[in-house]
């Protein structure tokens, strides 16, 4: 690792003002993604601001649901009684991610901000449009490795089938974020210009012409918490994660489902997919279609067909065009039976 | 040991520490020091000086012993343990969070020390494999790994044992299936998994005794 400065802060205000002062400064939460990227020189920071001592780890009831602090550990959220009871989809998604050790370190804010696992992005001798310029040191401002997208026409087995651009076909790798997108979460943010809240589905973005930008967080902004509104999906929730080995691997495709049922009839449906796009991919058309319909394999297959309308493969990942709809149907079936 | 050796990594080409010093905010620190220090930089003592400037104090309890240390921000907990404190029981496998060989307990919770900066442990309690036994009496999990042959080469073993102790403590060792899932962060290249699961289940079923 290259040398960098290290500053510890204890208030969100100090975190924001410290990061605002020096270019190439990053918040350090669990470190599980940032330290990895620094070791690989994908990020070469000038300074890290240790935010692990911020008082933002609470998980508490609010008038409209539950608020989860940005510094809450992934394991603490997954094992929390309120989350297991009212938002089992979130528990399932978190427990499907990484390992027990990593979940003890990783935070909610850091999980949202984790970078893609595209192998070209991770190797700065390979072409990639996402890495952007070197952040500090003698090469500051120079491109960090060659430009272009190595994955288009290259090794793209893990890559997107929805919403990609000619500049980048990477996916956002988080499991937790799939559940939060499906459950209509809101993100609370503080920054140099004050506080704001945005809907979770608007937090991450598609690559378009600026694949360097994963999300809509402005420079120096800090995620403080995530709000989950009360819902009636707890009894019929499921997170299906398909991967190359049974555990400790990123998703090829994942599906988060929440159903509100009355007898055999679906009152409300929530569906989001992971491993398929640059952001958690909410399946709004399929949700609309399922509303008021009977929970049957026939209807599930139709919903999956609707969801796949805009899908496009890039070669090695063409198998996802079959795996994804099959996974949607299976996740819906299991969620229907859960109770 | 020479402090410069705390990270055994080559510098990036073209990026000498001196260049870094000149370009970074560390310069501000130099500006406040006597001219002799600046002269030292000019005479090529920059390497040692840079290290001195970059080190920060760290107070941490390791295996029950309170330590006052001085470390560079870029030093991981794993490298601090192995290189500075010579606690080489904790192993470096992948150095990227992918194998679990470096598992230690931080305030009682299992973590990967390779992705934790040493400075992040300020005020915390760290337990390594060296801190598990009480005197000459092995921890029940250590006994169980021996009894069940939970290893071949032994490289992953300290991480497996630290992880297994925490796995039971978390309440994630109710069934062999659950143990397999919650121990998946510890890779064993020798494939001793079946015996590891047996060892964990026996310690669990005997309430932590063997
Ligand atoms: C081997 C391995 C396997 C993994 N497998 C999975 C998996 O299967 N599924 C999965 O979902 N994830 C997986 N992960 C990724 C893991 O979930 C993330 O690394 C983790 O969630 C990041 O959280 P952190 O707190 O450690 O973030 P850090 O590494 O500390 O930070 C990540 C980024 O977020 C920024 N940041 C952190 N907190 C905030 C905040 N409050 N406001 C603004 N910015 C912030 C940091 O500046 C940094 O840029 C895996 C990781 C590893 C190493
Ligand atoms: S897919 Fe995106 S992250 Fe991967 S090489 Fe292409 S530009 Fe880089
Ligand atoms: S050395 Fe830390 S996980 Fe492999
Ligand atoms: S015993 Fe050899 S790696 Fe596990």
């Amino acid at each position: 690792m290259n040398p960098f400065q290290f500053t510890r802060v204890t208030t969100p205000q100090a975190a924001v003002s410290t990061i605002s002062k020096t270019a190439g400064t990053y918040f350090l939460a669990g470190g599980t993604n940032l330290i990895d990227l620094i070791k690989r020189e994908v990020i070469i920071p000038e300074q890290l601001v240790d935010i692990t001592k911020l008082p933002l780890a609470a998980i508490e009831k609010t008038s409209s649901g539950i608020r989860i602090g940005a510094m809450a550990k992934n394991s603490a959220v997954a094992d929390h009684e309120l989350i297991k009871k009212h938002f089992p989809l979130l528990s399932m998604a978190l427990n499907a991610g990484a390992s027990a050790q990593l979940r003890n370190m990783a935070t909610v804010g850091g999980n949202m901000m984790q970078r893609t696992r595209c192998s070209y992005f991770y190797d700065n001798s390979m072409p990639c449009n996402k890495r952007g310029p070197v952040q500090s040191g003698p090469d500051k401002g120079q491109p960090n490795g060659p430009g272009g997208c190595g994955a288009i026409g290259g090794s793209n087995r893990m890559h997107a089938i929805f919403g990609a651009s000619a500049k980048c076909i990477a996916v956002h790798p988080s499991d937790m974020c799939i559940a939060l997108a499906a459950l209509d979460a809101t993100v609370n943010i503080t920054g140099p210009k004050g506080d704001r809240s945005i809907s979770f589905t608007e937090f991450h973005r598609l690559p378009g012409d600026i694949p360097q930008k994963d999300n809509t967080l402005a420079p120096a902004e800090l995620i403080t918490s995530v709000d989950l509104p009360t819902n009636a999906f707890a009894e019929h929730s499921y997170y299906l994660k398909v991967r190359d080995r049974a555990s400790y691997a990123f998703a090829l495709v994942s599906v988060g489902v929440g159903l509100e049922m009355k007898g055999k009839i679906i009152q409300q449906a929530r569906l989001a997919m992971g491993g398929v796009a640059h952001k958690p991919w909410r399946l709004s058309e399929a949700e609309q279609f399922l509303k008021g319909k009977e929970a049957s394999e026939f209807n599930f297959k139709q919903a999956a067909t609707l969801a796949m309308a805009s899908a496009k493969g890039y070669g090695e990942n063409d198998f996802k065009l079959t795996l994804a709809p099959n996974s949607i149907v299976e996740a819906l079936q299991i969620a229907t039976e859960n109770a | 040991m020479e402090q410069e050796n705390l990270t055994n990594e080559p510098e990036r080409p073209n990026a000498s520490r001196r260049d870094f010093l000149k370009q970074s905010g560390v310069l501000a620190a130099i500006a406040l020091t006597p001219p002799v220090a600046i002269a030292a930089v000019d005479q090529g003592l920059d390497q040692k000086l840079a290290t001195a400037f970059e080190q920060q104090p760290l107070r941490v309890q390791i295996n029950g012993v309170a330590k006052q240390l001085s470390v560079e921000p870029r030093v991981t907990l794993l490298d601090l343990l192995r290189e500075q404190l010579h606690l080489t029981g904790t192993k470096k496998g992948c150095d990227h969070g992918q194998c679990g060989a470096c598992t230690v307990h931080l305030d009682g919770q299992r973590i990967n020390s390779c992705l934790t900066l040493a400075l992040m442990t300020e005020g915390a309690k760290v337990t390594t494999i060296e801190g598990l036994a009480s005197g000459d009496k092995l921890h029940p999990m250590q006994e169980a790994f021996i009894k069940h042959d939970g290893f071949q080469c032994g490289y992953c073993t300290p991480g497996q044992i630290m992880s297994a102790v925490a796995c039971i403590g978390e309440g994630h060792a109710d069934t062999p299936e659950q143990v397999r899932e919650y121990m998946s962060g510890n890779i064993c290249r020798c494939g001793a998994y079946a015996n590891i699961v047996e060892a964990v289940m026996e310690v669990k079923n005997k309430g932590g005794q063997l």
Side-chain angles (χ1 to χ4, degrees):
Chain A
M1 275 190 268
N2 292 286
F4 49 78
Q5 293 178 70
F6 184 92
T7 309
R8 215 173 265 128
V9 293
T10 50
T11 64
Q13 295 77 3
V16 169
S17 74
T18 309
I19 201 176
S20 307
K21 273 182 215 134
T22 314
T25 302
Y26 290 79
F27 294 134
L28 174 64
T32 60
N33 192 222
L34 187 55
I35 307 290
D36 196 8
L37 290 166
I38 295 172
K39 284 185 178 183
R40 295 178 201 259
E41 298 188 355
V42 174
I43 293 177
I44 302 169
E46 184 74 43
Q47 177 181 222
L48 298 188
V49 178
D50 180 355
I51 57 173
T52 53
K53 308 267 189 294
L54 294 186
L56 294 176
I59 301 166
E60 55 204 0
K61 265 200 159 121
T62 62
S63 55
S64 57
I66 280 179
R67 171 163 293 184
I68 305 169
M71 295 307 298
K73 302 288 187 193
N74 285 186
S75 54
V77 180
D79 286 344
H80 198 280
E81 286 309 320
L82 286 173
I83 305 292
K84 284 198 286 191
K85 181 154 181 251
H86 301 290
F87 305 97
L89 179 59
L90 179 56
S91 274
M92 283 187 253
L94 279 164
N95 279 328
S99 67
Q101 289 95 315
L102 289 161
R103 295 193 294 270
N104 279 340
M105 307 160 73
T107 62
V108 169
N111 192 318
M112 290 168 60
M113 296 293 288
Q114 66 173 299
R115 310 300 309 269
T116 184
R117 307 302 288 203
C118 171
S119 51
Y120 297 93
F121 171 77
Y122 257 81
D123 179 348
N124 63 7
S125 66
M126 288 293 191
C128 176
N129 292 323
K130 197 181 248 314
R131 278 189 305 263
V134 173
Q135 297 88 354
S136 84
D139 301 331
K140 185 170 179 169
Q142 304 287 318
N144 189 357
C149 172
I152 296 176
S155 177
N156 55 34
R157 194 168 166 273
M158 301 297 289
H159 289 68
I161 53 170
F162 293 113
S165 75
K167 292 258 169 75
C168 177
I169 60 170
V171 301
H172 193 267
S174 168
D175 293 297
M176 177 194 83
C177 291
I178 305 310
L180 291 177
L183 296 172
D184 302 311
T186 306
V187 187
N188 299 313
I189 295 164
T190 189
K193 294 182 183 151
D195 298 347
R196 68 186 180 103
S197 299
I198 56 167
S199 104
F200 195 88
T201 47
E202 280 158 31
F203 182 82
H204 296 96
R205 59 184 292 284
L206 292 176
D209 281 338
I210 20 174
Q212 306 92 308
K213 257 175 88 69
D214 294 347
N215 54 59
T216 55
L217 202 69
E221 281 189 322
L222 174 79
I223 304 164
T224 52
S225 62
V226 170
D227 287 334
L228 277 174
T230 307
N231 66 48
F233 304 129
E235 278 179 26
H236 296 283
S237 293
Y238 193 66
Y239 188 74
L240 177 71
K241 182 173 178 182
V242 185
R243 42 190 157 171
D244 284 329
R245 58 183 184 198
S247 182
Y248 202 14
F250 287 94
L252 293 165
V253 164
S254 71
V255 185
V257 185
L259 298 176
E260 182 184 338
M261 310 269 297
K262 204 172 192 178
K264 287 190 140 198
I265 306 300
I266 297 169
Q267 308 296 305
Q268 294 271 357
R270 294 289 182 275
L271 277 166
M273 253 200 280
V276 294
H278 198 259
K279 59 183 290 188
W281 195 250
R282 186 82 181 253
L283 311 180
S284 308
E285 279 158 33
E287 289 174 8
Q288 278 306 313
F289 170 82
L290 288 171
K291 193 173 169 170
K293 298 253 176 15
E294 189 184 334
S296 67
E297 187 174 349
F298 179 78
N299 283 331
F300 293 163
K301 281 191 169 153
Q302 286 214 301
T305 305
L306 272 176
M308 294 302 294
S310 63
K312 174 179 178 331
Y314 288 86
E316 281 187 5
N317 71 350
D318 287 348
F319 71 94
K320 290 190 184 181
L321 300 174
T322 315
L323 182 62
N326 288 350
S327 301
I328 295 172
V329 173
E330 184 175 337
L332 281 164
Q333 280 171 333
I334 298 173
T336 308
E337 289 152 21
N338 273 0
Chain B
M1 117 156 325
E2 287 287 297
Q3 307 244 276
E4 287 93 316
N5 292 340
L6 284 184
T7 53
N8 316 317
E9 284 182 34
E11 295 285 308
R12 285 186 320 126
N14 315 325
S16 79
R17 246 198 231 261
R18 187 168 167 186
D19 285 340
F20 173 78
L21 261 175
K22 286 194 168 151
Q23 301 202 10
S24 81
V26 177
L27 199 58
I30 292 184
L32 299 172
T33 58
V36 60
I38 296 165
V41 171
D42 282 340
Q43 285 160 26
L45 298 172
D46 52 327
Q47 198 74 345
K48 282 212 165 74
L49 253 178
T51 304
F53 275 120
E54 287 160 15
Q55 284 190 345
Q56 292 189 16
L58 169 65
R59 267 179 306 186
V60 56
Q61 189 176 314
I62 294 176
N63 296 332
V65 182
K67 302 260 182 198
Q68 291 248 23
L69 304 166
S70 191
V71 295
E72 266 189 85
R74 61 175 164 165
V75 171
T76 60
L77 175 59
L78 176 60
D79 286 338
L80 172 75
L81 292 170
R82 290 183 56 86
E83 310 294 334
Q84 196 167 344
L85 303 174
H86 307 297
L87 292 169
T88 52
T90 307
K91 301 299 180 214
K92 184 183 280 192
C94 65
D95 212 19
H96 289 281
Q98 297 178 353
C99 76
C102 65
T103 304
V104 299
H105 296 176
L106 182 65
D107 287 334
Q109 296 214 305
R110 51 177 160 163
I111 58 143
N112 303 98
S113 59
C114 69
L115 291 185
T116 303
L117 292 182
L119 287 178
M120 292 166 77
T121 64
E122 171 70 26
K125 292 191 175 81
V126 175
T127 307
T128 70
I129 189 76
E130 288 92 346
L132 214 52
S134 5
D136 282 344
K137 195 176 172 337
L138 292 181
H139 186 280
M141 192 64 75
Q142 292 172 310
E143 295 277 11
F145 267 65
I146 295 169
K147 179 175 165 192
H148 290 276
D149 252 339
F151 49 84
Q152 259 183 54
C153 76
Y155 197 82
C156 71
T157 313
Q160 298 279 3
I161 291 177
M162 295 311 286
S163 197
V165 170
C167 185
I168 294 179
E170 291 160 9
H172 290 145
D174 289 342
T175 60
E177 292 68 40
Q178 200 182 25
V179 169
R180 277 192 277 273
E181 171 57 37
Y182 279 86
M183 289 291 292
S184 71
N186 292 84
I187 308 289
C188 176
R189 192 68 174 74
C190 301
Y193 296 112
N195 297 356
I196 292 171
V197 174
E198 276 179 23
V200 179
M201 285 315 294
E202 176 161 357
V203 176
K204 157 75 171 105
N205 290 334
K206 294 193 173 159
Q209 303 301 312
L210 201 74

